[in-house]
Amino acid sequence: MGCGSIVGKKESEGPLGALFDEVTEDVRMGSDSFEKGESAMQKRAVELALASAGRSAGELDLIAGGDLLNQCIGTAFGIGAFGVPFLGLYGACSTMAESLMLASMLVDGGYAETAAAVTSSHFCAAERQFRFPLEYGGQRSQNAQWTVTGSGSVLVTSGAGKPYALVREVCPGRILDYEITDSSNMGAAMAPAAADTLARYLRDTGRRPEDFDLIVTGDLGAVGGDLLRQLMEREGLPLGDNYNDCGMMIYDRERQDVHAGGSGCGCSATVLCAAILPQLRAGTLSEVLFLPTGALMSTTSSQQGEPILGISHLLHLSSPRGEGENA
Amino acid sequence: MGCGSIVGKKESEGPLGALFDEVTEDVRMGSDSFEKGESAMQKRAVELALASAGRSAGELDLIAGGDLLNQCIGTAFGIGAFGVPFLGLYGACSTMAESLMLASMLVDGGYAETAAAVTSSHFCAAERQFRFPLEYGGQRSQNAQWTVTGSGSVLVTSGAGKPYALVREVCPGRILDYEITDSSNMGAAMAPAAADTLARYLRDTGRRPEDFDLIVTGDLGAVGGDLLRQLMEREGLPLGDNYNDCGMMIYDRERQDVHAGGSGCGCSATVLCAAILPQLRAGTLSEVLFLPTGALMSTTSSQQGEPILGISHLLHLSSPRGEGENA
């Protein structure tokens, strides 16, 4: 297993700034648009993941990935040049879990030997697609979140190598509708999906939240994170100090004006690659539940008065330290 | 394995009209928008696939699917109500192959026992998202295709049951860029991807085009189909009378004013479910290569001058007749 991350300037100024593999000051990455900049970041994240494992693109059997842009063009134009078989995914901000889950199953099942999971998001590209042109300078509500500019990629390999982590179990999510229609309150729309997947996983495996060093959601932020705690309390599976959210980790909310925290596919992807997988490799984390959430909606569905649906996919990751096997 | 299809009025008036499971005269399916109509069709297609195999939604371990609408809302709002773990996909018009390929691998690998693959497209929803509002009445060029209104779903099961077909092999596609920028000429953008996947598959397996009763693409149409023949000729693997395209099968081009043929995720999905799988079950077809193609682009990427990328995923399907095993 290998991993790579690249982020923008704002993310590099947050608490995890020193941990990302690369930082770009140019949100267009030398191209002439934000969207092409996002594609270039995805390409770079895959290159970094390959390099971290001493692999080349020619060794890849499969890339699984997606992003938030209409028709997932960030990914198609980003990784097309590798010439590797590709599975396009749309899981909104849960895409890092969906892609990693699929890559892990396909490698574990023997359908591929080496597969890359990748996703990204881009503040400027997302704002103009989902909300307003940046030039409009719209006010943002306090429960709104800030889309992370960045991309993360994880390389999944079978057999030998120095692994970052072992994928122990996966639990794909169901679509939940809590009739939230406020598109600046994604956390509330997604929290029930995280609670559903987490409770189903814990009940299926007979485990408790305290069995893990870290239970980490993707971008529930301050509002959604509090709701998840309340929902898990009601389920009789209360979360303790071992619960965190990538959207709360990536920015300094006091200092960086991000309101309820970070969001976007790139949020959980870059935090996983920069701050979680390296700790699993080092053994400072042993057992982690990683469960990003996605808000399934479009500007069309919102304009038609439809609610924001939530989904959350879960992976159980273990440290390879003290284990005989590599995955 | 089971399958189900539902189409609109125009599709029911084509050469395959009598073969679809259901026809709706109401493109909104009783809702107040085209998009919700598309969602309702996806839900119905999954219900029909379940019914064809005598299964209920509660027996589904997984649904894999997607569509052409921004953020794949057709699928999210269509199948969310089943409460089944969901993998969202974006493969443009190749989505029926991508979803069926994934469902087959996950069932074959033991990660699920029963999985549904589903996709859809909708002429009215696609036109206003990708081209013009219907009311505008724009002229369509002769190489343009007509987006199929309909949805198809395939149920993949392991072990016992009366199968429609056996999934023998799959070959995921690579993203190809032939620098086509004319968004009314999707066939030309996608044909090289079909040729790439088909040639890779035939070389890998040591087979020839003439080893199959039917080699069928998804929606290359008249222009793309001719280009595929030329490209395969150059590869030394010429296609004979056993080549066809779902986009050429679903409409009567003389009579139905569809120019270069049908297109959209729903094109290959409904033709597969209505005309190909039943023939495999009956034994009138024995060996089939099903390889829909997808055009990876958005209105944003086109407005930015980017080319239309192509991808094609392939499945080798066999008739269960005369075989000891079921899949």
Side-chain angles (χ1 to χ4, degrees):
Chain A
M1 192 188 253
C3 61
S5 60
I6 176 168
V7 296
K9 187 163 176 285
K10 188 180 185 90
E11 292 69 28
S12 76
E13 293 165 351
L16 308 178
L19 302 177
F20 301 109
D21 293 316
E22 278 191 16
V23 173
T24 176
E25 301 259 322
D26 173 12
V27 290
R28 294 182 184 83
M29 294 280 285
S31 77
D32 57 2
S33 78
F34 302 137
E35 291 76 15
K36 291 181 201 172
E38 181 167 350
S39 291
M41 286 188 194
Q42 278 219 14
K43 181 160 182 281
R44 190 68 193 129
V46 173
E47 287 168 354
L48 290 165
L50 285 165
S52 79
R55 303 291 188 107
S56 68
E59 295 175 72
L60 277 174
D61 295 319
L62 193 73
I63 298 177
D67 59 274
L68 295 176
L69 298 180
N70 295 343
Q71 288 73 51
C72 300
I73 53 162
T75 309
F77 287 96
I79 60 85
F82 289 118
V84 169
F86 170 64
L87 296 176
L89 308 179
Y90 186 75
C93 301
S94 73
T95 303
M96 192 66 239
E98 186 183 354
S99 59
L100 184 51
M101 190 169 75
L102 266 175
S104 301
M105 288 191 282
L106 296 180
V107 168
D108 181 61
Y111 305 99
E113 286 188 4
T114 306
V118 63
T119 185
S120 63
S121 53
H122 194 298
F123 176 79
C124 309
E127 282 298 307
R128 72 175 172 187
Q129 178 179 281
F130 288 111
R131 297 177 191 95
F132 302 105
L134 294 184
E135 296 81 354
Y136 178 76
Q139 280 275 71
R140 300 167 59 249
S141 67
Q142 287 300 318
N143 50 13
Q145 295 168 244
W146 189 279
T147 304
V148 165
T149 300
S151 175
S153 174
V154 178
L155 194 73
V156 180
T157 53
S158 61
K162 191 182 171 193
Y164 275 80
L166 308 172
V167 179
R168 291 293 189 186
E169 290 142 342
V170 303
C171 182
R174 308 190 287 191
I175 296 174
L176 285 217
D177 178 4
Y178 265 54
E179 297 179 6
I180 306 286
T181 54
D182 176 2
S183 65
S184 67
N185 194 1
M186 299 283 196
M190 299 189 293
D196 177 68
T197 301
L198 183 52
R200 281 194 298 124
Y201 169 80
L202 292 172
R203 295 225 169 86
D204 270 8
T205 58
R207 299 210 178 88
R208 302 271 313 167
E210 50 271 29
D211 295 340
F212 299 89
D213 303 308
L214 177 66
I215 295 174
V216 63
T217 45
D219 57 353
L220 289 181
V223 177
D226 281 349
L227 289 172
L228 177 62
R229 283 188 181 277
Q230 291 174 38
L231 291 166
M232 293 306 291
E233 186 98 34
R234 266 195 235 167
E235 296 278 347
L237 297 162
L239 301 177
D241 290 344
N242 60 346
Y243 170 65
N244 211 337
D245 179 72
C246 298
M248 300 291 278
M249 296 162 75
I250 195 165
Y251 298 122
D252 181 333
R253 289 175 61 219
E254 296 294 310
R255 197 169 45 79
Q256 291 190 288
D257 185 35
V258 296
H259 299 196
S263 68
C265 305
C267 180
S268 58
T270 57
V271 172
L272 175 72
C273 293
I276 299 172
L277 291 176
Q279 283 204 66
L280 283 161
R281 176 149 81 163
T284 50
L285 286 173
S286 287
E287 304 295 334
V288 172
L289 294 183
F290 174 67
L291 65 155
T293 51
L296 303 174
M297 48 78 68
S298 75
T299 53
T300 303
S301 66
S302 286
Q303 283 160 10
Q304 292 179 350
E306 291 290 292
I308 298 165
L309 308 177
I311 193 164
S312 177
H313 302 295
L314 177 149
L315 292 105
H316 172 194
L317 305 170
S318 285
S319 173
R321 288 275 165 145
E323 296 277 344
E325 59 170 310
N326 283 342
Chain B
M1 190 185 253
C3 60
S5 59
I6 176 170
V7 295
K9 186 162 176 286
K10 190 180 183 89
E11 291 70 28
S12 77
E13 293 164 352
L16 308 179
L19 302 176
F20 301 109
D21 292 317
E22 278 190 18
V23 174
T24 176
E25 301 259 323
D26 173 12
V27 289
R28 294 180 183 83
M29 293 281 283
S31 78
D32 58 2
S33 76
F34 302 137
E35 291 77 13
K36 292 179 201 174
E38 180 167 353
S39 291
M41 285 187 196
Q42 279 219 12
K43 182 162 182 283
R44 190 66 193 131
V46 173
E47 287 168 354
L48 290 166
L50 285 165
S52 79
R55 303 291 189 106
S56 69
E59 295 175 72
L60 277 175
D61 295 319
L62 193 73
I63 298 176
D67 59 274
L68 294 177
L69 298 180
N70 295 344
Q71 287 73 52
C72 300
I73 53 161
T75 309
F77 288 96
I79 61 85
F82 289 117
V84 169
F86 170 64
L87 296 176
L89 308 179
Y90 186 74
C93 302
S94 74
T95 302
M96 192 66 239
E98 186 184 353
S99 59
L100 184 52
M101 190 169 74
L102 266 174
S104 301
M105 288 191 282
L106 296 179
V107 167
D108 181 61
Y111 304 99
E113 285 188 4
T114 307
V118 63
T119 186
S120 63
S121 54
H122 195 298
F123 176 79
C124 309
E127 282 297 306
R128 70 174 173 190
Q129 177 179 280
F130 287 110
R131 297 177 192 96
F132 302 105
L134 294 184
E135 296 81 353
Y136 178 76
Q139 280 275 70
R140 302 165 60 249
S141 66
Q142 287 300 320
N143 49 12
Q145 295 168 245
W146 188 279
T147 303
V148 165
T149 299
S151 175
S153 174
V154 178
L155 194 73
V156 180
T157 53
S158 62
K162 190 182 172 194
Y164 276 79
L166 308 172
V167 179
R168 290 292 188 188
E169 290 143 341
V170 303
C171 182
R174 311 191 285 191
I175 296 174
L176 285 218
D177 177 3
Y178 265 53
E179 298 180 6
I180 305 285
T181 54
D182 176 2
S183 65
S184 66
N185 194 359
M186 299 286 196
M190 300 190 293
D196 178 68
T197 301
L198 183 53
R200 283 195 298 122
Y201 169 80
L202 292 172
R203 295 225 169 85
D204 271 9
T205 57
R207 299 209 178 90
R208 302 273 312 169
E210 50 271 30
D211 295 340
F212 300 90
D213 302 307
L214 176 66
I215 295 175
V216 62
T217 46
D219 58 353
L220 289 182
V223 178
D226 280 349
L227 288 172
L228 176 62
R229 283 189 181 277
Q230 290 175 38
L231 290 166
M232 292 306 292
E233 185 99 34
R234 266 196 237 166
E235 296 279 347
L237 296 163
L239 301 177
D241 291 342
N242 59 346
Y243 170 65
N244 211 336
D245 179 72
C246 299
M248 300 290 280
M249 296 162 73
I250 195 166
Y251 298 122
D252 181 332
R253 289 174 63 217
E254 296 292 310
R255 195 169 47 78
Q256 291 191 288
D257 185 35
V258 296
H259 298 199
S263 68
C265 305
C267 179
S268 58
T270 57
V271 173
L272 175 72
C273 293
I276 299 172
L277 291 176
Q279 283 204 65
L280 283 162
R281 176 149 81 165
T284 49
L285 286 173
S286 288
E287 305 295 334
V288 172
L289 295 183
F290 174 67
L291 66 155
T293 51
L296 303 174
M297 49 76 71
S298 75
T299 53
T300 304
S301 66
S302 286
Q303 283 160 11
Q304 291 179 351
E306 292 289 293
I308 299 165
L309 308 177
I311 193 165
S312 177
H313 303 295
L314 176 150
L315 292 105
H316 171 194
L317 305 170
S318 286
S319 173
R321 288 277 165 142
E323 295 279 342
E325 58 170 310
N326 283 342

